[in-house]
Amino acid sequence: QRPIARAVTKACKRRIGSKMGLEAVKDEILNSAKEQSSSLIAEARKEASSIIKEAEKKAEAAREKSEAETKKMIDVIKRQELAAAELESKKMLLGAKKQVIENVFAEARARLEKLDDKKREDFIKKLLEKIKNEIHAEHVYCSKKDVKFVRGFGAEAAGMLGGLIAENRERTIRVDYSFDTMLESLKERELQGINKLLFG
């Protein structure tokens, strides 16, 4: 495997920002995700509440069967049951939140994949300009849908959602502006903010 200047790749990933329109896509997806999150979290809370009530019933049943001398043992059982129920409810809520965030980015991928030719061409043109300002690119990779928009580079089709990856002649420097990488980078940068925005 040829050496790749990872520092250059990481720096290039972070500069894509709102200029490429991904922020607009993110905002639109977040709005729909808020609606999804409400029902998912409500369902998780309902299930968690049911678990806790069931735990309380079990503890109460044990209490009814026991006499005063076993009160301490019953209290221990109740605490254990409630602690287990609370832990399970937390796991369920966390799982629901994670699912909503995954849905946000899955929908973003789906919408990027369905971009019409006009929008895809606009993206590719802007990316080519960025690449020309950063390296002397001689090897360019893009999705099969975008090959027709990359002129003068002899672009090669690659298994990617969209965008461009470019290398210099020696393949020692690479800039990665593929949609896949940009979405992952956006997810890493914005995960905490998205979680706060969706769930408070």
Side-chain angles (χ1 to χ4, degrees), residues 169-184:
R169 177 180 292 184
E170 297 79 14
R171 300 184 199 271
T172 55
I173 300 176
R174 165 181 283 199
V175 289
D176 187 343
Y177 286 136
S178 64
F179 288 172
D180 309 76
T181 298
M182 289 191 285
L183 272 177
E184 192 59 33

Side-chain angles (χ1 to χ4, degrees), residues 70-199:
T70 60
K71 183 178 184 301
K72 185 180 288 186
M73 183 181 71
I74 295 171
D75 288 340
V76 169
I77 293 172
K78 183 175 181 179
R79 284 197 298 270
Q80 289 174 341
E81 290 282 355
L82 290 176
E86 286 171 3
L87 179 60
E88 185 64 22
S89 69
K90 285 179 182 177
K91 286 181 181 178
M92 292 179 64
L93 290 173
L94 184 62
K97 288 180 180 182
K98 184 178 178 182
Q99 186 60 53
V100 170
I101 291 172
E102 289 299 327
N103 288 349
V104 168
F105 285 92
E107 191 170 344
R109 284 183 61 86
R111 293 199 182 192
L112 285 171
E113 194 168 13
K114 292 176 183 177
L115 285 176
D116 58 42
D117 278 359
K118 175 81 169 61
K119 289 180 180 176
R120 293 187 79 94
E121 186 174 12
D122 287 343
F123 270 122
I124 294 301
K125 283 180 179 178
K126 290 175 182 177
L127 290 174
L128 281 172
E129 286 304 312
K130 288 182 69 67
I131 287 169
K132 287 177 185 177
N133 291 330
E134 292 170 20
I135 66 169
H136 182 68
E138 293 209 14
H139 307 283
V140 176
Y141 309 93
C142 61
S143 74
K144 189 180 292 186
K145 293 180 180 179
D146 296 331
V147 170
K148 59 189 174 185
F149 304 131
V150 185
R151 301 178 182 87
F153 286 95
E156 299 177 38
M160 51 198 285
L161 184 64
L164 298 173
I165 297 174
E167 297 173 335
N168 63 350
R169 177 180 292 184
E170 297 79 14
R171 300 184 199 271
T172 55
I173 300 176
R174 165 181 283 199
V175 289
D176 187 343
Y177 286 136
S178 64
F179 288 172
D180 309 76
T181 298
M182 289 191 285
L183 272 177
E184 192 59 33
S185 177
L186 181 63
K187 184 177 180 180
E188 289 175 6
R189 290 200 319 268
E190 303 292 342
L191 194 57
Q192 187 174 353
I194 290 171
N195 187 65
K196 185 175 181 181
L197 182 62
L198 289 178
F199 310 114

